[in-house]
Amino acid sequence: MAAIAVCLLLVLTGCGTMQADITKTGGREESNTADNRHLKTEGWRIQDGCEHLSEDMAREIYEKILTMQQETYQGIQKVENSRMVFLDEEKNGRKVTVRAVFEADWTGIRKPGDHPMIQGMYKARDGLATAKEKKAADEYIQGWLAELEPQYQETQRVPWQIVVQFQETDTEGYRLYYPFVQESKETLVPLEQYVQEHCKEDAKEQRKMGKRALVENVQMDRSM
């Protein structure tokens, strides 16, 4: 049951893996402040160490990531006050690697009861046979609603670390990565792939998880 609870909490709270790993990626804690003295309220900035990154590329990357966030969390989180700072670069032959941080204010705009996993719990509750089971289900659902309530209308400043790679001779063919760190080893995962696998909501699967979790909880109460 504990494992189910942990899984539910991660899904209910969104892209937990990305948010948890972001501040330890590559040991770049300074990216969370990212020279705020020079940041615009909305927009991007290229630090002096990024010699091969053009302004057109920086603007295009900033707009692409902002759109990615807005589309990924549409109806779930409102994304505002976005900034992106291109911090530094490394050059290996003709390949250029740029480290950057994108950050924005995320505000929860979906009511807890509208989450697909909670909706799955309600669906399972309606199918229970006895009043005692339905009462236990209501208590279980209320517990999860209480967990989610503080996130509704809450605003958090969330950073995403980003890696940009391109050939010095082909600045239009850049690629974006998320620097995933596990056991002190960094792996560059294509950003769109990482968002799709770890951040994009699968409402159908979450409803199933909610139904399964509630039924298992009621069955456990019945056996006690």
Side-chain angles (χ1 to χ4, degrees):
M1 187 63 192
I4 294 176
V6 171
C7 182
L8 289 176
L9 189 57
L10 284 174
V11 175
L12 288 169
T13 54
C15 189
T17 304
M18 176 172 282
Q19 294 182 31
D21 289 341
I22 244 164
T23 57
K24 61 185 179 183
T25 300
R28 298 175 179 274
E29 291 85 353
E30 75 275 13
S31 63
N32 286 334
T33 55
D35 197 6
N36 286 321
R37 292 170 300 171
H38 300 289
L39 286 171
K40 305 173 184 178
T41 302
E42 293 274 356
W44 50 269
R45 173 179 170 80
I46 303 174
Q47 299 286 67
D48 294 339
C50 300
E51 299 178 357
H52 295 85
L53 186 72
S54 69
E55 292 191 0
D56 287 343
M57 186 193 298
R59 181 184 300 107
E60 182 176 313
I61 291 171
Y62 162 73
E63 292 174 352
K64 180 176 292 188
I65 294 177
L66 175 59
T67 299
M68 181 184 295
Q69 282 200 1
Q70 291 172 335
E71 291 179 350
T72 300
Y73 297 99
Q74 185 175 10
I76 303 171
Q77 301 274 352
K78 181 169 60 175
V79 180
E80 299 177 299
N81 302 322
S82 56
R83 302 171 176 176
M84 187 164 190
V85 180
F86 298 88
L87 298 166
D88 55 46
E89 72 177 29
E90 299 174 1
K91 191 168 177 292
N92 185 1
R94 294 183 177 181
K95 184 173 73 174
V96 179
T97 300
V98 178
R99 300 274 176 169
V101 62
F102 180 102
E103 59 182 25
D105 291 337
W106 288 17
T107 302
I109 59 174
R110 180 170 62 187
K111 295 179 179 179
D114 292 336
H115 194 290
M117 187 169 289
I118 299 295
Q119 292 293 311
M121 293 180 185
Y122 280 128
K123 185 72 173 179
R125 185 258 185 209
D126 292 341
L128 296 174
T130 69
K132 182 179 180 180
E133 289 175 338
K134 289 183 178 180
K135 181 180 178 181
D138 287 337
E139 292 174 354
Y140 183 74
I141 293 171
Q142 286 303 315
W144 278 108
L145 290 174
E147 288 281 347
L148 290 176
E149 185 61 36
Q151 299 171 32
Y152 178 56
Q153 297 297 339
E154 178 189 25
T155 299
Q156 299 182 65
R157 190 70 177 172
V158 179
W160 278 16
Q161 288 209 20
I162 306 295
V163 172
V164 184
Q165 287 189 340
F166 56 91
Q167 294 293 319
E168 184 180 5
T169 55
D170 181 19
T171 56
E172 294 184 0
Y174 64 84
R175 294 183 179 181
L176 303 178
Y177 298 92
Y178 171 68
F180 179 73
V181 174
Q182 188 172 32
E183 297 180 353
S184 301
K185 181 180 179 181
E186 180 182 270
T187 301
L188 297 183
V189 181
L191 184 61
E192 290 187 3
Q193 174 187 329
Y194 190 88
V195 170
Q196 185 68 33
E197 293 178 354
H198 297 275
C199 303
K200 193 74 172 179
E201 183 174 82
D202 186 339
K204 183 177 180 179
E205 181 61 28
Q206 291 182 22
R207 282 192 290 270
K208 290 181 180 178
M209 290 179 65
K211 292 171 68 174
R212 184 167 62 250
L214 184 133
V215 169
E216 290 182 7
N217 180 76
V218 171
Q219 288 176 343
M220 180 177 292
D221 286 347
R222 186 190 304 157
S223 64
M224 294 175 63

